[in-house]
Amino acid sequence: MQNKKSKYRFCLQNSTEFLQSFSVRRCVVLFSGRKALQTNITMSSPAPKSPELSDKSRKYDRQIRLWGEHGQTVLENAQICLINATALGTEILKGIVLPGIGGFTIVDHRPVTEEDVGCNFFLDLDSVGQPRAKRCMQLLQELNPDVNGDYVDEHVEQLIDGQPDFFRSFDVVVATSISERTIMRLSNVLWDQNIPLIVARSVGFYGVARLQLREHCIVETHPDNKQTDLRLEHPFEELKKHMAEAQITNKVPWLVVLYKVLQEWVDAHDGQYPASYREKSEVRELIRSKMDGEQENFEEAIKAVNSSFGGGKPSAAVREILQDDRCVNVNTESNAFWIMARALKDFVDNEGNGLLPVPGVLPDMTADTNSYISLQTVYRNQAAHDAEIVFRRARQLLKELNKPNDLITDKDVRLFCREAANIAVVRGTKITDEFDKGYHRSSHIASVLEQPNSLMGHYIVLRALDRFQADYGCLPGESEAESDTTGMKSIAAKMLSEWGIGTPLSDDLAYEICRYGGAEIHSISAYLGGCIAHELIKLVTRQYRPFDNTFIYDGSTAQTETYKL
């Protein structure tokens, strides 16, 4: 017979041995004042606007390079609600308090226990017996005095019953280690209120996070391989004029070289632009034939041939957004994104002749200053011209919908036009749907469950843990691991049977989840908390794509997987 505390010490011992044996490659951003450690993430980093930095810019310099000053402003005005100040919950808050979230509120009715002190970095023995929400709020605030903290010493079910509108003041709600009943109730309330919800749990070496959102519109998606829109196939009048006056030398930007050689190739091919690899190879050879010795701009033009075509035309994903009913039929309920999308659609259908606005962004090029700036000015002027048309249309729509003019600013439209080729809309599913017996994604779960080294079994065992807690009023393994393992296997088998899945749950997974007795290991919760904090920042700033929609972590193998459930 093992008691809860001895099992917890056993998990801590395993945690230490694990960290000594494995080097976990972190894929989150860790913040500490100005300094940020970033590994395994590829993101664009805009340069600072000026060497003269404000106090805020100096403090948050590294992260502002990721999401810009406008993203930082949004972050500083955001409010997050955490339900249950577990080790995982406080690690999530740490990851957003350090970069400067506007404020957070902890909802937790439990007092601090000795077990909390053993796994929660933000608690000490002096905290035992005090309200866990209050104590964690106080210690988290010490990390960043710019962040406002609050707490509610009540059970979340009381808020759902008595104050369902309590959650409307938050941008995102995060819930850790809540019961199956609470998950379903909270899921329904927040779905109706259109507030994103993340439900997460960390048990032993396993962790899971599930994101629920109704609709999430993203302007700045920051794609890893962003294509530069140069309009080589559809040059606008000012670009044609500029190129006609430019002379090819070893000091002009490579774009001038490519444009002029491309026009020569097109004239020889009945006005057709190169599309196949062979045709693009011909363009490269034509550029090479005009080189006189080593000319860096010519070399850059040769390298750019493969990536410089196709700009301006809306991708299939963007066309889907522009054809969406929420774009075509904007109304008084439409938000700024959909109104700007409709204005963009009108531009594409009319002035743009099927093309998106010119973004006005040029890549780095080897050239003398004057020739590069003059070329850059041509693109920027056209971008400003196109954005002005979209802005006037957006203002007209605001007037027709009787919405305030300041809902959409000129700056908003310029950003929207610059990023138009990569805008995205993510529509999620409700967590409650996963608890239906006829769950429509069960066939997907079955197919993934049969794959070797899949983490879908971890999802099943963690779902079975929630069901076990609902049925028996305690977590598996809190009293006896051996007997509870049988109960967990039975619950998992029943759950899989309800979904029409014949693949049984692994005996090892059932035993392993019971061996932990519901205990958290701080290092595992810290890693998972960092990942979730990263996703929170994406949701709040509306930059980068959030995970879609279930994230599983196995700390014993340092393995992660994302499933759409």
Side-chain angles (χ1 to χ4, degrees):
M1 178 76 69
Q2 286 181 305
N3 61 35
K4 194 171 184 179
K5 195 179 298 183
S6 66
K7 277 204 295 279
Y8 177 69
R9 285 197 294 268
F10 175 72
C11 285
L12 275 182
Q13 180 182 358
N14 277 0
S15 173
T16 303
E17 293 172 355
F18 167 75
L19 290 175
Q20 291 172 346
S21 303
F22 292 89
S23 175
V24 180
R25 300 182 65 191
R26 304 198 64 164
C27 62
V28 296
V29 179
L30 305 178
F31 300 95
S32 178
R34 285 188 63 193
K35 298 181 180 179
L37 173 62
Q38 181 189 346
T39 60
N40 297 343
I41 296 180
T42 303
M43 295 178 181
S44 57
S45 301
K49 291 182 177 180
S50 166
E52 297 296 329
L53 298 176
S54 65
D55 290 340
K56 183 183 77 173
S57 296
R58 281 194 294 270
K59 182 176 182 178
Y60 300 125
D61 177 52
R62 294 295 181 88
Q63 63 204 46
I64 287 175
R65 294 170 184 265
L66 294 178
W67 50 73
E69 291 184 359
H70 59 292
Q72 183 65 27
T73 300
V74 173
L75 187 68
E76 291 172 3
N77 289 315
Q79 295 290 325
I80 302 297
C81 177
L82 171 69
I83 298 170
N84 291 339
T86 60
L88 174 58
T90 52
E91 287 295 331
I92 293 170
L93 286 185
K94 181 190 76 175
I96 60 173
V97 166
L98 287 172
I101 195 74
F104 66 90
T105 298
I106 300 176
V107 177
D108 195 338
H109 68 289
R110 295 179 178 84
V112 177
T113 64
E114 289 186 5
E115 183 183 0
D116 291 325
V117 175
C119 66
N120 195 325
F121 178 80
F122 290 94
L123 296 172
D124 52 33
L125 286 173
D126 294 337
S127 305
V128 175
Q130 297 184 41
R132 192 165 68 172
K134 179 181 179 180
R135 191 63 184 140
C136 287
M137 181 273 291
Q138 292 170 336
L139 295 173
L140 280 162
Q141 270 195 297
E142 292 180 5
L143 297 175
N144 192 340
D146 295 337
V147 175
N148 297 316
D150 197 2
Y151 73 96
V152 177
D153 189 14
E154 290 184 33
H155 196 293
V156 64
E157 293 263 4
Q158 292 178 272
L159 293 176
I160 295 174
D161 289 333
Q163 305 177 55
D165 289 337
F166 168 82
F167 301 102
R168 291 188 184 276
S169 60
F170 299 103
D171 296 277
V172 186
V173 175
V174 184
T176 65
S177 300
I178 59 175
S179 68
E180 188 176 78
R181 165 188 157 87
T182 307
I183 289 174
M184 291 191 287
R185 296 194 67 196
L186 195 62
S187 169
N188 287 327
V189 169
L190 297 181
W191 182 266
D192 292 339
Q193 296 178 1
N194 197 20
I195 298 172
L197 167 67
I198 296 179
V199 176
R201 185 185 286 275
S202 174
V203 181
F205 286 116
Y206 301 159
V208 61
R210 169 64 159 90
L211 170 61
Q212 169 184 290
L213 47 80
R214 198 165 192 168
E215 180 181 270
H216 185 63
C217 303
I218 313 167
V219 176
E220 297 175 87
T221 55
H222 300 274
D224 290 338
N225 299 307
K226 187 174 183 178
Q227 183 181 21
T228 304
D229 181 2
L230 301 174
R231 298 298 164 96
L232 290 176
E233 298 116 308
H234 307 281
F236 45 93
E237 289 304 319
E238 287 301 314
L239 181 61
K240 292 179 181 178
K241 181 179 177 182
H242 178 85
M243 291 300 186
E245 296 172 353
Q247 299 295 321
I248 295 182
T249 70
N250 61 352
K251 294 184 178 181
V252 298
W254 61 256
L255 183 54
V256 175
V257 177
L258 178 56
Y259 180 91
K260 287 185 171 289
V261 173
L262 177 63
Q263 293 305 313
E264 182 179 334
W265 189 93
V266 169
D267 290 342
H269 290 78
D270 299 324
Q272 299 297 313
Y273 283 85
S276 65
Y277 178 81
R278 181 184 61 79
E279 291 172 338
K280 291 178 180 179
S281 296
E282 291 177 6
V283 175
R284 283 194 290 270
E285 290 304 317
L286 188 56
I287 296 172
R288 189 172 283 109
S289 68
K290 296 180 180 296
M291 290 179 64
D292 183 13
E294 293 185 4
Q295 294 176 291
E296 194 167 355
N297 56 345
F298 277 74
E299 293 288 354
E300 290 178 350
I302 292 171
K303 293 178 181 178
V305 168
N306 276 346
S307 59
S308 297
F309 299 108
K313 292 183 178 180
S315 65
V318 173
R319 287 198 303 272
E320 186 176 348
I321 292 173
L322 299 184
Q323 294 165 5
D324 192 288
D325 182 66
R326 297 202 63 185
C327 177
V328 176
N329 299 309
V330 290
N331 54 51
T332 55
E333 300 298 320
S334 299
N335 59 28
F337 178 92
W338 287 113
I339 294 173
M340 287 191 289
R342 173 56 192 272
L344 176 67
K345 171 180 168 58
D346 291 344
F347 174 89
V348 172
D349 292 343
N350 296 283
E351 295 89 350
N353 295 314
L355 300 176
L356 296 168
V358 173
V361 179
L362 288 185
D364 291 338
M365 303 178 187
T366 301
D368 65 84
T369 303
N370 290 336
S371 60
Y372 180 81
I373 291 178
S374 61
L375 179 61
Q376 186 181 58
T377 301
V378 170
Y379 278 90
R380 286 184 174 178
N381 288 343
Q382 186 63 36
H385 173 267
D386 292 351
E388 178 62 25
I389 296 173
V390 177
F391 178 61
R392 288 200 302 266
R393 177 56 180 151
R395 278 293 179 90
Q396 182 183 349
L397 289 168
L398 289 174
K399 184 177 180 180
E400 292 173 0
L401 297 172
N402 198 27
K403 285 180 171 287
N405 278 338
D406 59 0
L407 178 64
I408 298 173
T409 66
D410 178 49
K411 187 176 180 181
D412 295 332
V413 173
R414 289 200 306 269
L415 176 64
F416 195 88
C417 290
R418 190 188 77 193
E419 303 293 334
N422 299 293
I423 58 173
V425 175
V426 179
R427 291 189 172 110
T429 57
K430 188 160 61 170
I431 294 175
T432 306
D433 294 343
E434 294 177 30
F435 293 88
D436 291 341
K437 293 183 178 180
Y439 182 47
H440 71 284
R441 297 287 292 174
S442 57
S443 58
H444 172 66
I445 293 174
S447 62
V448 177
L449 197 58
E450 295 176 353
Q451 296 174 6
N453 301 318
S454 164
L455 295 187
M456 185 59 78
H458 296 62
Y459 167 77
I460 300 298
V461 78
L462 288 166
R463 281 289 309 278
L465 179 146
D466 292 334
R467 186 73 57 84
F468 185 100
Q469 185 181 24
D471 292 347
Y472 297 101
C474 64
L475 291 169
E478 280 191 313
S479 57
E480 179 57 56
E482 294 291 343
S483 60
D484 286 352
T485 299
T486 303
M488 279 288 291
K489 290 170 62 178
S490 175
I491 289 172
K494 181 180 179 182
M495 190 166 60
L496 291 169
S497 176
E498 290 174 353
W499 292 343
I501 299 174
T503 306
L505 178 69
S506 163
D507 290 348
D508 292 340
L509 283 176
Y511 174 75
E512 194 72 3
I513 203 72
C514 292
R515 189 170 69 91
Y516 303 137
E520 286 187 74
I521 299 175
H522 177 259
S523 57
I524 301 301
S525 294
Y527 176 85
L528 184 61
C531 293
I532 295 172
H534 196 189
E535 299 305 313
L536 277 175
I537 292 171
K538 293 179 185 179
L539 293 170
V540 167
T541 61
R542 293 188 175 270
Q543 295 189 39
Y544 304 96
R545 289 175 179 268
F547 71 91
D548 187 17
N549 53 26
T550 303
F551 178 78
I552 310 289
Y553 174 52
D554 182 348
S556 64
T557 60
Q559 184 182 358
T560 63
E561 284 188 11
T562 302
Y563 300 111
K564 187 169 184 177
L565 301 177

